[in-house]
Short mmCIF file of all heavy atoms in Angstrom, two decimals:
data_model
loop_
_atom_site.label_atom_id
_atom_site.label_comp_id
_atom_site.label_asym_id
_atom_site.label_seq_id
_atom_site.Cartn_x
_atom_site.Cartn_y
_atom_site.Cartn_z
N ALA Q 24 -12.83 -13.94 2.21
CA ALA Q 24 -12.27 -15.29 1.91
C ALA Q 24 -10.84 -15.12 1.52
O ALA Q 24 -9.91 -15.95 1.92
CB ALA Q 24 -13.00 -15.93 0.77
N VAL Q 25 -10.46 -14.07 0.76
CA VAL Q 25 -9.02 -13.88 0.35
C VAL Q 25 -8.23 -13.46 1.64
O VAL Q 25 -7.11 -14.02 1.78
CB VAL Q 25 -8.99 -12.73 -0.75
CG1 VAL Q 25 -7.53 -12.20 -0.89
CG2 VAL Q 25 -9.50 -13.24 -2.01
N ASP Q 26 -8.82 -12.65 2.50
CA ASP Q 26 -8.12 -12.32 3.77
C ASP Q 26 -7.83 -13.57 4.56
O ASP Q 26 -6.74 -13.76 5.06
CB ASP Q 26 -8.98 -11.32 4.62
CG ASP Q 26 -8.94 -9.97 4.00
OD1 ASP Q 26 -8.05 -9.63 3.10
OD2 ASP Q 26 -9.85 -9.13 4.39
N ARG Q 27 -8.83 -14.46 4.73
CA ARG Q 27 -8.59 -15.69 5.44
C ARG Q 27 -7.51 -16.59 4.83
O ARG Q 27 -6.69 -17.20 5.50
CB ARG Q 27 -9.87 -16.46 5.60
CG ARG Q 27 -10.82 -15.97 6.71
CD ARG Q 27 -11.93 -17.04 6.86
NE ARG Q 27 -12.92 -16.54 7.77
CZ ARG Q 27 -14.02 -17.23 8.15
NH1 ARG Q 27 -14.22 -18.41 7.60
NH2 ARG Q 27 -14.83 -16.71 9.03
N TYR Q 28 -7.56 -16.68 3.51
CA TYR Q 28 -6.61 -17.48 2.74
C TYR Q 28 -5.19 -17.03 2.97
O TYR Q 28 -4.34 -17.75 3.31
CB TYR Q 28 -6.97 -17.54 1.26
CG TYR Q 28 -6.04 -18.24 0.48
CD1 TYR Q 28 -6.01 -19.62 0.41
CD2 TYR Q 28 -5.03 -17.58 -0.34
CE1 TYR Q 28 -5.13 -20.33 -0.33
CE2 TYR Q 28 -4.15 -18.27 -1.07
CZ TYR Q 28 -4.18 -19.66 -1.06
OH TYR Q 28 -3.27 -20.33 -1.88
N LEU Q 29 -5.06 -15.69 2.87
CA LEU Q 29 -3.69 -15.13 3.09
C LEU Q 29 -3.25 -15.33 4.49
O LEU Q 29 -2.03 -15.57 4.74
CB LEU Q 29 -3.69 -13.69 2.67
CG LEU Q 29 -3.72 -13.38 1.18
CD1 LEU Q 29 -3.93 -11.87 0.90
CD2 LEU Q 29 -2.63 -13.96 0.47
N GLU Q 30 -4.13 -15.21 5.46
CA GLU Q 30 -3.73 -15.45 6.85
C GLU Q 30 -3.18 -16.86 7.05
O GLU Q 30 -2.29 -17.10 7.84
CB GLU Q 30 -4.95 -15.20 7.80
CG GLU Q 30 -5.28 -13.81 8.02
CD GLU Q 30 -6.56 -13.53 8.81
OE1 GLU Q 30 -6.98 -14.53 9.56
OE2 GLU Q 30 -7.15 -12.48 8.72
N THR Q 31 -3.82 -17.85 6.48
CA THR Q 31 -3.37 -19.28 6.61
C THR Q 31 -2.02 -19.51 5.97
O THR Q 31 -1.29 -20.31 6.38
CB THR Q 31 -4.41 -20.21 6.06
OG1 THR Q 31 -4.51 -20.05 4.62
CG2 THR Q 31 -5.77 -20.13 6.69
N LYS Q 32 -1.75 -18.70 4.92
CA LYS Q 32 -0.50 -18.87 4.22
C LYS Q 32 0.71 -18.32 4.95
O LYS Q 32 1.93 -18.73 4.79
CB LYS Q 32 -0.56 -18.27 2.83
CG LYS Q 32 -1.55 -18.97 1.90
CD LYS Q 32 -1.11 -20.48 1.75
CE LYS Q 32 -2.12 -21.23 1.09
NZ LYS Q 32 -1.86 -22.69 1.08
N VAL Q 33 0.47 -17.30 5.84
CA VAL Q 33 1.53 -16.68 6.68
C VAL Q 33 1.96 -17.61 7.75
O VAL Q 33 3.11 -17.64 8.20
CB VAL Q 33 1.05 -15.31 7.12
CG1 VAL Q 33 2.11 -14.70 8.04
CG2 VAL Q 33 0.82 -14.35 5.93
N ASN Q 34 0.99 -18.28 8.37
CA ASN Q 34 1.26 -19.08 9.52
C ASN Q 34 2.12 -20.30 9.11
O ASN Q 34 1.73 -21.20 8.40
CB ASN Q 34 -0.09 -19.54 10.09
CG ASN Q 34 0.10 -20.32 11.31
OD1 ASN Q 34 1.11 -20.66 11.74
ND2 ASN Q 34 -0.99 -20.68 11.96
N ARG Q 35 3.35 -20.33 9.65
CA ARG Q 35 4.31 -21.41 9.22
C ARG Q 35 3.91 -22.76 9.87
O ARG Q 35 4.48 -23.67 9.50
CB ARG Q 35 5.68 -20.98 9.54
CG ARG Q 35 6.12 -19.79 8.78
CD ARG Q 35 7.61 -19.89 8.48
NE ARG Q 35 8.01 -18.89 7.56
CZ ARG Q 35 8.18 -19.05 6.27
NH1 ARG Q 35 7.91 -20.18 5.74
NH2 ARG Q 35 8.58 -18.14 5.55
N LYS Q 36 3.08 -22.69 10.90
CA LYS Q 36 2.77 -24.00 11.61
C LYS Q 36 1.80 -24.85 10.88
O LYS Q 36 1.65 -26.04 11.10
CB LYS Q 36 2.25 -23.66 13.02
CG LYS Q 36 3.29 -23.04 13.89
CD LYS Q 36 2.68 -22.65 15.25
CE LYS Q 36 3.68 -21.85 16.03
NZ LYS Q 36 3.11 -21.38 17.23
N ARG Q 37 1.03 -24.20 9.96
CA ARG Q 37 -0.01 -25.04 9.23
C ARG Q 37 0.53 -25.57 7.92
O ARG Q 37 1.41 -24.98 7.33
CB ARG Q 37 -1.14 -24.05 8.92
CG ARG Q 37 -1.92 -23.61 10.19
CD ARG Q 37 -3.06 -22.90 9.84
NE ARG Q 37 -4.05 -23.79 9.23
CZ ARG Q 37 -5.28 -23.42 8.94
NH1 ARG Q 37 -5.79 -22.31 9.14
NH2 ARG Q 37 -6.11 -24.31 8.46
N LYS Q 38 -0.09 -26.59 7.53
CA LYS Q 38 0.21 -27.24 6.23
C LYS Q 38 -0.23 -26.25 5.14
O LYS Q 38 -1.40 -25.61 5.30
CB LYS Q 38 -0.52 -28.54 6.14
CG LYS Q 38 -0.29 -29.23 4.83
CD LYS Q 38 -1.01 -30.54 4.70
CE LYS Q 38 -0.72 -31.25 3.39
NZ LYS Q 38 -1.57 -32.43 3.22
N GLY Q 39 0.55 -26.04 4.11
CA GLY Q 39 0.22 -25.16 3.06
C GLY Q 39 0.74 -23.82 3.22
O GLY Q 39 0.48 -22.86 2.44
N SER Q 40 1.58 -23.53 4.26
CA SER Q 40 2.24 -22.22 4.38
C SER Q 40 3.17 -21.93 3.25
O SER Q 40 3.74 -22.93 2.73
CB SER Q 40 2.92 -22.16 5.75
OG SER Q 40 1.96 -22.20 6.76
N VAL Q 41 3.40 -20.71 2.96
CA VAL Q 41 4.38 -20.40 1.87
C VAL Q 41 5.44 -19.49 2.47
O VAL Q 41 5.32 -18.90 3.53
CB VAL Q 41 3.61 -19.72 0.68
CG1 VAL Q 41 2.63 -20.59 0.07
CG2 VAL Q 41 2.93 -18.41 1.21
N SER Q 42 6.53 -19.40 1.65
CA SER Q 42 7.61 -18.55 2.06
C SER Q 42 7.19 -17.06 1.98
O SER Q 42 6.27 -16.74 1.26
CB SER Q 42 8.81 -18.81 1.20
OG SER Q 42 8.54 -18.38 -0.18
N ALA Q 43 7.98 -16.21 2.58
CA ALA Q 43 7.74 -14.74 2.50
C ALA Q 43 7.81 -14.18 1.15
O ALA Q 43 7.00 -13.35 0.71
CB ALA Q 43 8.68 -13.99 3.48
N ARG Q 44 8.77 -14.75 0.35
CA ARG Q 44 8.96 -14.27 -0.96
C ARG Q 44 7.77 -14.61 -1.89
O ARG Q 44 7.27 -13.85 -2.67
CB ARG Q 44 10.24 -14.93 -1.61
CG ARG Q 44 11.52 -14.27 -0.95
CD ARG Q 44 12.74 -14.95 -1.39
NE ARG Q 44 12.98 -14.67 -2.90
CZ ARG Q 44 13.76 -15.28 -3.58
NH1 ARG Q 44 14.53 -16.31 -3.16
NH2 ARG Q 44 13.96 -14.97 -4.89
N TRP Q 45 7.28 -15.84 -1.66
CA TRP Q 45 6.08 -16.23 -2.48
C TRP Q 45 4.84 -15.51 -2.00
O TRP Q 45 3.99 -15.12 -2.87
CB TRP Q 45 5.87 -17.75 -2.36
CG TRP Q 45 4.65 -18.19 -3.15
CD1 TRP Q 45 3.53 -18.81 -2.56
CD2 TRP Q 45 4.35 -18.13 -4.53
NE1 TRP Q 45 2.67 -19.10 -3.61
CE2 TRP Q 45 3.11 -18.61 -4.73
CE3 TRP Q 45 5.14 -17.61 -5.56
CZ2 TRP Q 45 2.66 -18.69 -6.12
CZ3 TRP Q 45 4.59 -17.65 -6.92
CH2 TRP Q 45 3.34 -18.22 -7.12
N LEU Q 46 4.74 -15.20 -0.70
CA LEU Q 46 3.60 -14.40 -0.23
C LEU Q 46 3.62 -12.93 -0.83
O LEU Q 46 2.59 -12.43 -1.11
CB LEU Q 46 3.67 -14.35 1.31
CG LEU Q 46 2.45 -13.74 1.96
CD1 LEU Q 46 1.18 -14.52 1.74
CD2 LEU Q 46 2.65 -13.57 3.50
N ASN Q 47 4.86 -12.40 -1.04
CA ASN Q 47 4.93 -11.19 -1.64
C ASN Q 47 4.49 -11.16 -3.10
O ASN Q 47 4.13 -10.06 -3.61
CB ASN Q 47 6.50 -10.67 -1.60
CG ASN Q 47 6.89 -10.29 -0.15
OD1 ASN Q 47 6.07 -9.98 0.68
ND2 ASN Q 47 8.14 -10.28 0.02
N VAL Q 48 4.48 -12.24 -3.75
CA VAL Q 48 3.95 -12.42 -5.06
C VAL Q 48 2.44 -12.68 -5.07
O VAL Q 48 1.66 -12.01 -5.85
CB VAL Q 48 4.71 -13.52 -5.89
CG1 VAL Q 48 3.98 -13.78 -7.24
CG2 VAL Q 48 6.17 -13.20 -6.04
N LEU Q 49 2.09 -13.49 -4.13
CA LEU Q 49 0.68 -14.03 -4.05
C LEU Q 49 -0.29 -12.90 -3.60
O LEU Q 49 -1.36 -12.69 -4.19
CB LEU Q 49 0.63 -15.16 -3.11
CG LEU Q 49 -0.68 -15.95 -2.99
CD1 LEU Q 49 -1.05 -16.51 -4.33
CD2 LEU Q 49 -0.52 -17.02 -2.00
N GLU Q 50 0.18 -12.20 -2.62
CA GLU Q 50 -0.74 -11.15 -2.01
C GLU Q 50 -1.17 -10.06 -2.92
O GLU Q 50 -2.37 -9.82 -3.14
CB GLU Q 50 -0.12 -10.59 -0.68
CG GLU Q 50 -1.14 -9.61 0.03
CD GLU Q 50 -0.61 -9.24 1.40
OE1 GLU Q 50 0.51 -9.60 1.76
OE2 GLU Q 50 -1.46 -8.62 2.11
N PRO Q 51 -0.29 -9.37 -3.69
CA PRO Q 51 -0.67 -8.32 -4.52
C PRO Q 51 -1.57 -8.88 -5.65
O PRO Q 51 -2.53 -8.26 -6.08
CB PRO Q 51 0.58 -7.74 -5.17
CG PRO Q 51 1.68 -8.26 -4.24
CD PRO Q 51 1.13 -9.44 -3.50
N CYS Q 52 -1.25 -10.04 -6.08
CA CYS Q 52 -2.06 -10.66 -7.17
C CYS Q 52 -3.47 -10.92 -6.68
O CYS Q 52 -4.53 -10.60 -7.42
CB CYS Q 52 -1.49 -12.04 -7.59
SG CYS Q 52 -2.16 -12.75 -9.08
N LEU Q 53 -3.66 -11.50 -5.52
CA LEU Q 53 -5.05 -11.76 -4.99
C LEU Q 53 -5.75 -10.40 -4.64
O LEU Q 53 -6.95 -10.35 -4.88
CB LEU Q 53 -4.95 -12.60 -3.73
CG LEU Q 53 -4.65 -14.02 -4.05
CD1 LEU Q 53 -4.41 -14.81 -2.75
CD2 LEU Q 53 -5.64 -14.71 -4.90
N ARG Q 54 -5.00 -9.41 -4.15
CA ARG Q 54 -5.62 -8.15 -3.88
C ARG Q 54 -6.21 -7.46 -5.15
O ARG Q 54 -7.25 -6.86 -5.15
CB ARG Q 54 -4.68 -7.19 -3.11
CG ARG Q 54 -4.25 -7.69 -1.87
CD ARG Q 54 -5.33 -7.56 -0.78
NE ARG Q 54 -4.86 -8.06 0.52
CZ ARG Q 54 -5.64 -8.66 1.36
NH1 ARG Q 54 -6.91 -8.83 1.09
NH2 ARG Q 54 -5.16 -9.18 2.46
N ARG Q 55 -5.45 -7.70 -6.24
CA ARG Q 55 -5.89 -7.23 -7.56
C ARG Q 55 -7.25 -7.86 -7.94
O ARG Q 55 -8.13 -7.21 -8.40
CB ARG Q 55 -4.88 -7.37 -8.60
CG ARG Q 55 -5.21 -6.79 -9.92
CD ARG Q 55 -4.11 -6.86 -10.92
NE ARG Q 55 -4.61 -6.50 -12.18
CZ ARG Q 55 -4.31 -7.01 -13.30
NH1 ARG Q 55 -3.50 -7.99 -13.36
NH2 ARG Q 55 -4.78 -6.51 -14.50
N VAL Q 56 -7.29 -9.19 -7.73
CA VAL Q 56 -8.54 -9.88 -8.08
C VAL Q 56 -9.70 -9.36 -7.27
O VAL Q 56 -10.78 -9.19 -7.76
CB VAL Q 56 -8.27 -11.37 -7.84
CG1 VAL Q 56 -9.60 -12.19 -7.97
CG2 VAL Q 56 -7.20 -11.97 -8.82
N VAL Q 57 -9.44 -9.09 -5.89
CA VAL Q 57 -10.49 -8.64 -5.05
C VAL Q 57 -10.96 -7.30 -5.56
O VAL Q 57 -12.17 -7.04 -5.56
CB VAL Q 57 -10.03 -8.51 -3.65
CG1 VAL Q 57 -10.93 -7.79 -2.74
CG2 VAL Q 57 -9.80 -9.97 -3.05
N ARG Q 58 -10.08 -6.42 -6.03
CA ARG Q 58 -10.42 -5.10 -6.57
C ARG Q 58 -11.24 -5.16 -7.79
O ARG Q 58 -12.26 -4.37 -7.96
CB ARG Q 58 -9.17 -4.22 -6.77
CG ARG Q 58 -8.66 -3.49 -5.62
CD ARG Q 58 -7.70 -2.46 -5.97
NE ARG Q 58 -6.68 -2.76 -6.97
CZ ARG Q 58 -5.58 -3.43 -6.74
NH1 ARG Q 58 -5.12 -3.76 -5.51
NH2 ARG Q 58 -4.76 -3.77 -7.72
N GLU Q 59 -10.93 -6.13 -8.66
CA GLU Q 59 -11.55 -6.14 -10.03
C GLU Q 59 -12.85 -6.95 -9.98
O GLU Q 59 -13.76 -6.57 -10.81
CB GLU Q 59 -10.63 -6.77 -10.96
CG GLU Q 59 -9.49 -5.85 -11.28
CD GLU Q 59 -8.51 -6.33 -12.39
OE1 GLU Q 59 -8.92 -7.28 -13.08
OE2 GLU Q 59 -7.43 -5.81 -12.52
N LEU Q 60 -13.01 -7.83 -9.14
CA LEU Q 60 -14.31 -8.64 -9.15
C LEU Q 60 -15.25 -7.97 -8.13
O LEU Q 60 -14.80 -7.42 -7.17
CB LEU Q 60 -14.04 -10.12 -8.63
CG LEU Q 60 -13.42 -10.98 -9.65
CD1 LEU Q 60 -13.14 -12.36 -9.04
CD2 LEU Q 60 -14.20 -11.12 -10.89
N PRO Q 61 -16.55 -8.05 -8.43
CA PRO Q 61 -17.50 -7.41 -7.53
C PRO Q 61 -17.55 -8.11 -6.13
O PRO Q 61 -17.15 -9.23 -6.04
CB PRO Q 61 -18.87 -7.57 -8.22
CG PRO Q 61 -18.61 -8.72 -9.18
CD PRO Q 61 -17.19 -8.69 -9.53
N ASP Q 62 -17.84 -7.30 -5.15
CA ASP Q 62 -17.74 -7.80 -3.76
C ASP Q 62 -18.97 -8.59 -3.50
O ASP Q 62 -19.94 -8.09 -2.84
CB ASP Q 62 -17.58 -6.71 -2.70
CG ASP Q 62 -17.01 -7.30 -1.44
OD1 ASP Q 62 -16.46 -8.35 -1.40
OD2 ASP Q 62 -17.33 -6.62 -0.39
N LYS Q 63 -19.08 -9.83 -3.90
CA LYS Q 63 -20.23 -10.67 -3.68
C LYS Q 63 -19.79 -11.79 -2.70
O LYS Q 63 -18.64 -12.02 -2.48
CB LYS Q 63 -20.70 -11.36 -4.99
CG LYS Q 63 -21.24 -10.38 -6.01
CD LYS Q 63 -21.95 -11.12 -7.08
CE LYS Q 63 -21.28 -11.18 -8.42
NZ LYS Q 63 -22.03 -11.91 -9.42
N THR Q 64 -20.79 -12.52 -2.23
CA THR Q 64 -20.44 -13.70 -1.41
C THR Q 64 -19.99 -14.77 -2.43
O THR Q 64 -20.23 -14.81 -3.64
CB THR Q 64 -21.65 -14.19 -0.58
OG1 THR Q 64 -22.68 -14.55 -1.55
CG2 THR Q 64 -22.10 -13.16 0.34
N LEU Q 65 -19.24 -15.75 -1.90
CA LEU Q 65 -18.64 -16.84 -2.75
C LEU Q 65 -19.77 -17.60 -3.48
O LEU Q 65 -19.53 -17.94 -4.64
CB LEU Q 65 -17.77 -17.76 -1.90
CG LEU Q 65 -16.50 -17.10 -1.23
CD1 LEU Q 65 -15.86 -18.12 -0.38
CD2 LEU Q 65 -15.68 -16.56 -2.29
N VAL Q 66 -20.86 -17.89 -2.88
CA VAL Q 66 -21.89 -18.66 -3.56
C VAL Q 66 -22.62 -17.92 -4.64
O VAL Q 66 -23.32 -18.49 -5.54
CB VAL Q 66 -22.91 -19.20 -2.55
CG1 VAL Q 66 -22.32 -20.19 -1.60
CG2 VAL Q 66 -23.72 -18.14 -1.85
#
């Protein structure tokens, strides 16, 4: 889910895309969350 979310943020054609600078902040933060939380399904 985090991978999909980050892919949608990179694509500038879609609503909700972010700048490269903001993506540089967002990606490491989300990757840290993925590392710390157990790898379960969303539900």
Side-chain angles (χ1 to χ4, degrees):
V25 167
D26 287 343
R27 278 192 187 179
Y28 176 76
L29 289 172
E30 286 173 17
T31 64
K32 293 301 169 189
V33 174
N34 184 356
R35 295 215 172 262
K36 295 177 185 173
R37 293 187 69 172
K38 180 180 178 185
S40 294
V41 296
S42 68
R44 289 176 67 196
W45 179 243
L46 188 63
N47 289 338
V48 172
L49 189 61
E50 187 170 6
C52 189
L53 287 174
R54 295 289 177 212
R55 181 175 176 219
V56 172
V57 168
R58 275 194 315 273
E59 291 185 14
L60 286 178
D62 195 28
K63 297 195 248 181
T64 61
L65 296 177
V66 297

